[in-house]
Amino acid sequence: MKNSLHELLLCENIFPVMGEYLNPDNTMEMDFSSANTVLMSIDFSDTKSFDQYVFGKLQSAGKKYGIGGYFEHRAIYARSEVFVTEQSDFRNIHLGIDIWTESGHPVYAPLKGKVFSFQNNAGFGDYGATIILEHELKGKTLYSLYGHLALKDLEGLELGMTLEAGQAFCHLGPFPENGDWPPHLHFQLMWDMMGNWGDFPGVCSQREIEKYRAICPDPQLLTGYSPG
């Protein structure tokens, strides 16, 4: 599906989702995997401590953004029961990417599309305000999800509302209204909504990896990020 997405995006008008191209000058890669042993000393159940860690890293590096997380095996999800399934599987494989920066930062439609659904997925560790867009690419439907937004961004939205590529339509929310996370955008792509509306799993268990890898292509192509 990754090659398919790349081919479908050829000749499309793509706008970087954060409004500017991300590169090593303004962006650092963030590692929240179990391989990062520093994470063992952070109390992720306390959002202020989590926030200080994220923005301390960015400030020390002199970067505006942090990025990463696509199919990352993460060590931070023990903070919330949201990540335990009915089958008692622990969901710790991240299906999208996160872009960490200050709350209030605008988010832009990377492609022309329309509003598919939106809702406030309230609760500690959840998405908070969430918007899902629908895009048509050469006859194939692609969905894009934007989580951890400001609650005010849900006001005035209408299903089917058309958005042009490059149109600002939401902002990063502050904690606790954003699901109680340090401010960041959870950005995810899906070929199939699997019957979901206003929500879609952003994390899966290890036994579900291949299922979701086929559904959720790498969204980095729509961020403008280039590691150099």
Side-chain angles (χ1 to χ4, degrees):
M1 283 294 189
K2 183 176 180 181
N3 291 336
S4 175
L5 177 61
H6 183 271
E7 292 169 1
L8 290 171
L9 290 175
L10 293 176
C11 301
E12 288 290 332
N13 179 25
I14 301 174
F15 193 88
V17 70
M18 301 307 286
E20 61 181 315
Y21 289 98
L22 308 187
N23 56 58
D25 291 332
N26 60 16
T27 304
M28 69 177 295
E29 296 189 17
M30 303 287 285
D31 180 4
F32 288 105
S33 75
S34 54
N36 183 357
T37 56
V38 174
L39 301 180
M40 297 176 64
S41 65
I42 310 299
D43 180 7
F44 288 107
S45 66
D46 178 67
T47 306
K48 288 185 178 180
S49 296
F50 192 173
D51 185 78
Q52 289 170 358
Y53 171 75
V54 170
F55 286 92
K57 292 276 288 184
L58 294 180
Q59 185 175 14
S60 295
K63 307 298 184 182
K64 183 177 180 180
Y65 305 100
I67 194 171
Y70 181 63
F71 272 86
E72 184 175 63
H73 181 184
R74 288 193 156 176
I76 61 177
Y77 293 129
R79 71 191 306 261
S80 172
E81 293 183 358
V82 165
F83 303 104
V84 179
T85 71
E86 293 179 359
Q87 292 81 20
S88 297
D89 284 340
F90 187 65
R91 298 188 298 132
N92 54 12
I93 307 298
H94 193 247
L95 303 179
I97 61 171
D98 289 329
I99 303 175
W100 309 82
T101 195
E102 298 290 346
S103 65
H105 193 293
V107 178
Y108 300 80
L111 299 165
K112 182 177 180 179
K114 62 182 180 181
V115 176
F116 173 78
S117 61
F118 57 92
Q119 69 179 12
N120 180 19
N121 294 295
F124 181 73
D126 214 320
Y127 281 137
T130 309
I131 300 174
I132 299 174
L133 304 184
E134 179 180 337
H135 314 275
E136 293 299 322
L137 300 174
K138 300 178 177 64
K140 190 172 180 63
T141 302
L142 178 71
Y143 301 91
S144 57
L145 180 149
Y146 309 80
H148 310 303
L149 307 177
L151 280 174
K152 65 180 181 181
D153 290 321
L154 301 185
E155 299 173 7
L157 282 183
E158 296 180 5
L159 299 181
M161 177 186 293
T162 299
L163 297 173
E164 298 295 331
Q167 183 175 341
F169 70 101
C170 58
H171 305 78
L172 300 194
F175 65 86
E177 71 177 60
N178 69 349
D180 220 339
W181 293 87
H184 72 286
L185 174 69
H186 177 91
F187 180 46
Q188 184 171 323
L189 301 179
M190 297 85 66
W191 293 115
D192 185 347
M193 285 299 297
M194 300 173 60
N196 290 281
W197 193 97
D199 194 6
F200 192 91
V203 185
C204 75
S205 66
Q206 294 188 49
R207 70 179 178 84
E208 299 173 305
I209 288 177
E210 294 311 311
K211 169 186 172 181
Y212 281 102
R213 194 183 297 276
I215 295 170
C216 301
D218 189 345
Q220 184 169 294
L221 289 169
L222 299 181
T223 68
Y225 177 65
S226 174

